[in-house]
Amino acid sequence: VSSQIVATAVCHTDAYTLSGADPEGCFPVILGHEGAGIVESVGEGVTKVKKGDTVIPLYIPQCGECKFCKNPKTNLCQKIRITQGKGVMPDGTSRFTCKGKQIYHFMGTSTFSEYTVVADISVAKIDAAAPLDKVCLLGCGISTGYGAAVNTAKVEPGSTCAVFGLGGVGLAVIMGCKIAGASRIIGIDINKDKYAKAKEFGATECISPQDSKKPIQEVLVEMTDGGVDYSFECIGNVGVMRAALEACHKGWGVSVIVGVAAAGQEISTRPFQLVTGRTWKGTAFGGWKSVDNVPKLVTEYMSKKIKVDEFVTHTLPFDKINEAFELMHSGK
């Protein structure tokens, strides 16, 4: 499926691969995995979409046939995992060239391009009326955070939640916790400029780990009479992942890892934390089966059930993409 990309967002995952730290990174490559566009043409055998359809490319596809797709417990379709990781299409070739040389694909999407080509299982057809400069965010960040709360953690009404990292994904987690009916949502970030926005999304209070001599998990346990019901790590820092688990309540606390840590890093805690009833979980793309759910998320946005516009801080022309990355790195 060849599509014209109308809008794309930038994400820390793109920067991570760009940095050279990603063991799966192949170069030269066209990055980008949070986009939206219009189908320009389809190849032989493609029946799900046609020219002119409005679509969101999917970095986690949904073939509907593999054992992962058939299992309701996961959204991690494995049909094209190997080739996608190698930066090529399912047939082993690339659709990008520059000056006669091959360029690799990224996460099966490559949205930092005027036109991109994706596998037919890596695209979701969405409402044609949706504003693409907004719903492109449902291709990664918002869906990931929102799903971490409602699908992975299954946050319950009246519960207490802690969200570590108040970037786009953290804000989406807060939104999910609020929609799920959490009564207390504590935002945690060293950047206090993010607190006002977090409160707009539903955080009831915000704290910085730098404001106390005690470890943040101890502060949270004291604040919440024994710990939170649900915690979410939205940074990708293994030390914070430990703190998030240890901030959970004994007996039933659940901590979800949403952030992606650098290659080769390991998490640690005392096994007693788990023996005494805490659960450690992880999530990718918020647990959503992509082809089925991305169109539904667009519909939820169009009916004002979920926020999307409020996540957009800057809109730049494509040739200022480096400026967009600078804004992201500076937390703006």
Side-chain angles (χ1 to χ4, degrees), residues 305-325:
K305 185 191 169 184
I306 61 171
K307 295 181 180 191
V308 173
D309 297 13
E310 294 82 352
F311 285 86
V312 180
T313 56
H314 298 77
T315 304
L316 300 160
F318 188 63
D319 58 10
K320 297 224 172 122
I321 191 162
N322 290 336
E323 205 174 295
F325 272 93

Side-chain angles (χ1 to χ4, degrees), residues 188-231:
I188 301 134
D189 203 299
I190 54 175
N191 182 351
K192 295 185 177 180
D193 293 343
K194 299 198 168 186
Y195 294 177
K197 193 80 150 173
K199 285 176 180 168
E200 268 174 53
F201 276 86
T204 52
E205 61 219 281
C206 293
I207 57 172
S208 168
Q210 295 175 340
D211 284 352
S212 171
K213 289 196 171 76
K214 289 180 184 166
I216 189 69
Q217 52 267 54
E218 284 181 31
V219 174
L220 285 159
V221 167
E222 281 174 19
M223 281 172 68
T224 57
D225 184 29
V228 299
D229 302 312
Y230 300 99
S231 70

Side-chain angles (χ1 to χ4, degrees), residues 2-332:
S2 170
S3 301
Q4 179 175 14
I5 297 292
V6 175
T8 186
V10 296
C11 173
H12 278 282
T13 311
D14 303 305
Y16 169 61
T17 297
L18 184 62
S19 73
D22 181 355
E24 252 196 6
C26 309
F27 298 93
V29 64
I30 292 174
L31 297 169
H33 63 283
E34 229 175 15
I38 313 287
V39 175
E40 178 262 337
S41 62
V42 297
E44 201 181 327
V46 174
T47 54
K48 290 178 193 161
V49 293
K50 61 185 187 303
K51 182 176 177 167
D53 283 350
T54 304
V55 292
I56 290 178
L58 308 167
Y59 69 90
I60 293 181
Q62 186 188 351
C63 71
E65 297 163 357
C66 69
K67 70 178 182 182
F68 287 78
C69 280
K70 286 179 174 166
N71 191 322
K73 294 177 179 176
T74 185
N75 63 327
L76 296 173
C77 173
Q78 297 294 295
K79 180 84 180 276
I80 59 171
R81 181 71 201 96
I82 307 291
T83 49
Q84 182 172 314
K86 289 179 178 165
V88 290
M89 295 296 285
D91 66 358
T93 65
S94 166
R95 297 293 184 277
F96 295 118
T97 57
C98 179
K99 298 174 184 167
K101 289 188 177 167
Q102 176 179 296
I103 297 178
Y104 290 107
H105 294 242
F106 178 67
M107 289 175 77
T109 54
S110 289
T111 60
F112 294 171
S113 170
E114 190 177 352
Y115 289 89
T116 192
V117 183
V118 302
D120 65 336
I121 60 171
S122 301
V123 67
K125 181 183 171 180
I126 63 161
D127 182 345
L132 301 188
D133 61 331
K134 305 291 193 292
V135 296
C136 59
L137 290 170
L138 292 168
C140 179
I142 298 179
S143 303
T144 297
Y146 177 46
V150 300
N151 297 331
T152 310
K154 295 186 170 63
V155 171
E156 293 153 326
S159 56
T160 297
C161 303
V163 181
F164 291 77
L166 302 175
V169 174
L171 293 175
V173 170
I174 290 172
M175 176 175 76
C177 292
K178 186 182 179 183
I179 289 170
S183 60
R184 197 171 173 193
I185 304 168
I186 305 162
I188 301 134
D189 203 299
I190 54 175
N191 182 351
K192 295 185 177 180
D193 293 343
K194 299 198 168 186
Y195 294 177
K197 193 80 150 173
K199 285 176 180 168
E200 268 174 53
F201 276 86
T204 52
E205 61 219 281
C206 293
I207 57 172
S208 168
Q210 295 175 340
D211 284 352
S212 171
K213 289 196 171 76
K214 289 180 184 166
I216 189 69
Q217 52 267 54
E218 284 181 31
V219 174
L220 285 159
V221 167
E222 281 174 19
M223 281 172 68
T224 57
D225 184 29
V228 299
D229 302 312
Y230 300 99
S231 70
F232 301 86
E233 199 280 354
C234 307
I235 303 160
N237 177 311
V238 292
V240 178
M241 290 172 191
R242 177 174 191 160
L245 176 80
E246 295 177 1
C248 281
H249 202 288
K250 185 179 191 172
W252 64 75
V254 175
S255 186
V256 181
I257 294 173
V258 192
V260 178
Q265 296 208 312
E266 296 182 354
I267 44 174
S268 61
T269 190
R270 294 202 172 103
F272 196 66
Q273 291 285 332
L274 303 178
V275 172
T276 50
R278 294 170 194 82
T279 304
W280 222 344
K281 300 179 91 168
T283 187
F285 195 53
W288 301 108
K289 286 194 183 272
S290 59
V291 173
D292 290 346
N293 287 293
V294 168
K296 291 178 185 169
L297 289 165
V298 170
T299 303
E300 284 192 3
Y301 158 63
M302 299 294 273
S303 64
K304 300 201 159 44
K305 185 191 169 184
I306 61 171
K307 295 181 180 191
V308 173
D309 297 13
E310 294 82 352
F311 285 86
V312 180
T313 56
H314 298 77
T315 304
L316 300 160
F318 188 63
D319 58 10
K320 297 224 172 122
I321 191 162
N322 290 336
E323 205 174 295
F325 272 93
E326 284 162 22
L327 286 162
M328 179 182 72
H329 285 307
S330 66
K332 291 177 184 168

